[in-house]
Amino acid sequence: MQTYLPILPDFFYFEDDQVLYIDEIGEMELFSKRFEELVKRYLDSDNTFIATLSKVYSNELIKTIKKRDDVRIIEITRENRDKKFVEIKGELEKLT
């Protein structure tokens, strides 16, 4: 019996004009050093990078991300999510 592995895109290679996105930088994801390297690569690129951060988990990488001058933290709650969606969408439209 032959086993086939799915072919996944290499997320370390991206175009200069692509918006980069990671849905969640949290405890489980950060068990992977390769994932941590990817986050750092995205942060250090000139691309627009959008990510969600765990609110309940923190480590040195998450603390460093929050302290960066080029990072904007937007807290989204149930109460403000519709307003924040419009705000973020407007910001992204300015980039295109």
Side-chain angles (χ1 to χ4, degrees):
M1 182 172 155
Q2 211 169 12
T3 304
Y4 294 95
L5 296 175
I7 298 173
L8 296 174
D10 190 340
F11 294 107
F12 280 83
Y13 299 98
F14 46 86
E15 300 296 322
D16 292 340
D17 62 345
Q18 285 181 297
V19 173
L20 308 174
Y21 177 74
I22 294 179
D23 182 16
E24 182 174 9
I25 301 171
E27 182 176 13
M28 293 301 295
E29 295 79 14
L30 290 171
F31 281 130
S32 167
K33 288 297 177 197
R34 185 88 168 130
F35 178 81
E36 188 173 328
E37 291 171 17
L38 178 67
V39 170
K40 289 176 182 177
R41 180 171 169 94
Y42 281 15
L43 283 164
D44 292 336
S45 76
D46 290 331
N47 294 57
T48 298
F49 172 40
I50 300 170
T52 60
L53 294 173
S54 172
K55 188 170 180 171
V56 296
Y57 176 78
S58 187
N59 73 353
E60 286 308 309
L61 177 61
I62 290 176
K63 290 174 188 174
T64 300
I65 291 169
K66 290 179 176 182
K67 290 178 185 174
R68 288 177 61 125
D69 291 334
D70 60 345
V71 168
R72 181 172 166 210
I73 304 289
I74 301 171
E75 184 173 358
I76 299 174
T77 64
R78 286 180 190 222
E79 294 77 27
N80 75 5
R81 66 181 171 199
D82 293 333
K83 181 180 175 186
K84 293 297 178 182
F85 172 79
V86 172
E87 180 182 330
I88 294 166
K89 183 179 178 210
E91 291 294 321
L92 288 173
E93 287 172 349
K94 291 178 191 175
L95 299 172
T96 58

